[in-house]
Amino acid sequence: FYLTPPQVNSILKANEYSFKVPEFDGKNVSSVLGFDSNQLPANAPIEDRRSAATCLQTRGMLLGVFDGHAGCACAQAVSERLFYYIAVSLLPHETLLEIENAVESGRALLPILQWHKHPNDYFSKEASKLYFNSLRTYWQELIDLNSGETTDVKEALINAFKRLDNDISLEAQVGDPNSFLNYLVLRVAFSGATACVAHVDGVDLHVANTGDSRAMLGVQEEDGSWSAVNLSYDHNAQNEHEVERVKMEHPKSEEKSLVKQDRLLGLLMPFRAFGDVKFKWSIELQKRVVESGPDQLNDNEYTKFIPPNYHTPPYLTAEPEVIYHKLRPQDKFLVLATDGLWETMHRQDVVRIVGEYLTGVHHQQPIALGGYKVTLGQMHGLLTERRARISSVFEDQNAATHLIRHAVGNNEFGTVDHERLSKMLSLPEELARMYRDDITIIVVQFNSHVI
């Protein structure tokens, strides 16, 4: 189909969300000005998720993107639950005690998070009691372990990731008398999800990453140009340290079978993920859970097979790699995005496009033709299009939408080609996935005055 520009825009803007940090007395005292986020599905239903929340009992803001595989169940659960685990890990002992006492005596709880959600961002009400009980057990243990020391953010992030993954695994092993919930906890555990989460508190920025989504810092140099700084590393076969880490954790006899065709055990692209108990549980445990599980689980091919060369599990961890960065005035924004974006665009282009969008300044790059033979007429067309693009100063009110428009619609000259965009967005569901992955993006804008 040929889509008109308004049709293209309505598809691109369907999931966009923006949040501006409120000002007090005409001043914004936060190091975050606000953020824009958006998602473009390729899978039906989309397997990516996103979350953003302000921590109410500690300072700081949490933002994250989650990329699901083998279904969206695990990504959904992690997007709802992980920030609570992080917030609880960061809370001082007295606050944890207050919360526990409130639950004990049936009083209203102190709110821990203020969520910033799009109406399409789903929350599973049926599981909320189960999720709450697991979280409560966690904070009770933190109270018992009280060492009196203030929690280090890096440590809190690592503990929260590992604990949530552990709870996902336990809930599936224990099961639930409610058949709907029983099937849900099993679907969550047998599917998987990667996570890339940023915690911003004043000038302290921590990024915790598990898997192959990415965090990229946009830095404005003195001459006004933009450069990209990686704040995460992909956990996949392209990362030599990650391949080494996996090999170190298993006997030498398995060296050849651990990574095949750039996948873990020849099957899984990310080398770290939540869920995916097929790569964590012993064969006995997998069989026991699947056999005693509901019939729907037996119909699912994914749960039945045992990965090849499966000798010394676990092969997979949800432990994140945490990178700390102290914000500087030249650090203007952070892009968190699932691999759907990075597969289509180079990081330098991502940062330049967002930077120019946020400052409204286009450094007129010479048009790169990359060895194409171009007629004078085509060149005239390119220049006219460029002029039109500047005069319309952007149809997008949202930086993430603007980035998706480029990711899907860029032609070989690096400009958005409406015809290409129209074709890509009108592909039927079963074809879309062959051309691209789900794309989820959060662009966080920093407040240079505060920093």
Side-chain angles (χ1 to χ4, degrees):
F1 300 109
Y2 183 76
L3 303 172
T4 63
Q7 287 171 318
V8 163
N9 282 346
S10 73
I11 292 172
L12 288 179
K13 293 170 189 277
N15 296 309
E16 69 179 11
Y17 178 85
S18 291
F19 175 76
K20 295 279 170 282
V21 173
E23 294 189 350
F24 300 97
D25 302 334
K27 282 199 189 71
N28 174 355
V29 291
S30 165
S31 56
V32 174
L33 279 172
F35 69 85
D36 290 340
S37 80
N38 201 349
Q39 295 189 295
L40 183 68
N43 293 294
I46 184 170
E47 294 185 343
D48 279 7
R49 292 292 184 271
R50 58 180 164 181
S51 291
T54 303
C55 300
L56 294 172
Q57 305 303 329
T58 56
R59 296 194 351 213
M61 196 165 192
L62 285 164
L63 306 110
V65 295
F66 311 94
D67 186 350
H69 45 265
C72 58
C74 188
Q76 176 62 43
V78 174
S79 74
E80 290 182 41
R81 304 178 68 181
L82 181 59
F83 287 6
Y84 282 114
Y85 280 72
I86 294 172
V88 163
S89 307
L90 288 167
L91 287 177
H93 186 246
E94 306 74 73
T95 314
L96 288 174
L97 277 174
E98 271 178 60
I99 293 175
E100 176 55 28
N101 291 336
V103 177
E104 274 287 304
S105 57
R107 289 197 316 270
L109 278 189
L110 286 172
I112 298 177
L113 295 174
Q114 177 194 354
W115 290 94
H116 309 299
K117 296 186 89 61
H118 185 281
N120 295 358
D121 294 345
Y122 165 79
F123 245 83
S124 53
K125 295 187 182 55
E126 303 82 4
S128 58
K129 192 165 190 277
L130 170 76
Y131 290 172
F132 177 80
N133 289 338
S134 294
L135 181 68
R136 184 182 178 189
T137 305
Y138 179 41
W139 81 55
Q140 288 170 335
E141 284 175 29
L142 289 174
I143 290 171
D144 294 344
L145 288 170
N146 173 35
S147 54
E149 293 162 30
T150 49
T151 319
D152 170 58
V153 177
K154 178 176 178 174
E155 205 181 319
L157 287 163
I158 292 171
N159 292 343
F161 272 63
K162 285 164 70 173
R163 177 60 182 232
L164 173 57
D165 192 53
N166 194 42
D167 283 355
I168 285 171
S169 172
L170 269 176
E171 288 157 5
Q173 291 172 48
V174 172
D176 197 283
N178 172 328
S179 60
F180 174 83
L181 274 182
N182 195 28
Y183 185 45
L184 177 81
V185 295
L186 289 165
R187 272 187 29 227
V188 168
F190 277 95
S191 60
T194 68
C196 187
V197 170
H199 178 265
V200 195
D201 178 4
V203 294
D204 298 322
L205 168 61
H206 288 84
V207 173
N209 182 51
T210 287
D212 51 10
S213 293
R214 269 184 217 169
M216 197 67 63
L217 191 66
V219 181
Q220 191 166 28
E221 304 298 345
E222 282 181 6
D223 64 357
S225 66
W226 293 94
S227 59
V229 177
N230 273 336
L231 289 184
S232 68
Y233 298 104
D234 295 356
H235 300 134
N236 57 21
Q238 273 61 59
N239 179 340
E240 288 167 22
H241 296 292
E242 197 57 12
V243 175
E244 275 313 299
R245 177 188 68 79
V246 171
K247 286 183 175 169
M248 293 287 289
E249 290 173 3
H250 298 276
K252 201 129 181 69
S253 56
E254 292 186 57
E255 201 165 309
K256 287 198 168 52
S257 59
L258 279 172
V259 180
K260 280 190 160 169
Q261 289 153 336
D262 281 351
R263 290 168 181 257
L264 189 64
L265 297 181
L267 295 168
L268 199 63
M269 286 285 265
F271 284 17
R272 302 190 193 196
F274 283 92
D276 280 319
V277 292
K278 303 285 313 164
F279 296 86
K280 294 173 180 170
W281 289 355
S282 68
I283 294 176
E284 298 73 46
L285 180 58
Q286 290 190 40
K287 285 187 170 149
R288 183 169 67 76
V289 170
V290 173
E291 279 162 16
S292 62
D295 296 340
Q296 303 110 297
L297 198 67
N298 284 312
D299 303 340
N300 183 338
E301 285 306 306
Y302 183 68
T303 57
K304 270 193 241 172
F305 79 94
I306 300 289
N309 303 300
Y310 197 75
H311 308 297
T312 53
Y315 289 90
L316 190 64
T317 177
E319 179 167 339
E321 189 172 8
V322 179
I323 290 181
Y324 170 74
H325 176 82
K326 186 175 178 185
L327 289 171
R328 309 159 299 173
Q330 63 266 40
D331 300 331
K332 300 299 182 190
F333 60 87
L334 176 73
V335 178
L336 296 169
T338 54
D339 62 347
L341 173 70
W342 311 108
E343 283 165 4
T344 56
M345 286 184 91
H346 189 271
R347 62 196 185 121
Q348 197 55 52
D349 293 331
V350 167
V351 163
R352 180 181 55 79
I353 286 165
V354 174
E356 290 177 357
Y357 169 84
L358 292 175
T359 54
V361 176
H362 295 274
H363 288 287
Q364 286 300 10
Q365 310 258 349
I367 286 187
L369 299 173
Y372 291 95
K373 286 192 168 53
V374 177
T375 65
L376 210 53
Q378 286 170 311
M379 183 51 113
H380 177 70
L382 280 169
L383 290 167
T384 319
E385 187 189 337
R386 170 184 267 195
R387 187 192 283 149
R389 229 181 33 255
I390 293 156
S391 62
S392 75
V393 189
F394 297 128
E395 51 227 320
D396 295 318
Q397 308 298 304
N398 178 303
T401 309
H402 186 66
L403 204 43
I404 290 177
R405 189 183 298 277
H406 278 269
V408 179
N410 265 5
N411 59 16
E412 56 272 36
F413 306 117
T415 61
V416 175
D417 174 347
H418 179 77
E419 199 170 321
R420 180 183 163 82
L421 195 54
S422 166
K423 278 182 186 159
M424 290 295 280
L425 293 179
S426 60
L427 288 169
E429 281 165 7
E430 59 278 10
L431 275 180
R433 188 62 192 87
M434 293 162 69
Y435 286 89
R436 58 177 180 81
D437 196 354
D438 297 327
I439 299 175
T440 297
I441 301 171
I442 300 178
V443 178
V444 188
Q445 203 177 344
F446 295 122
N447 189 347
S448 304
H449 303 299
V450 171
I451 292 166

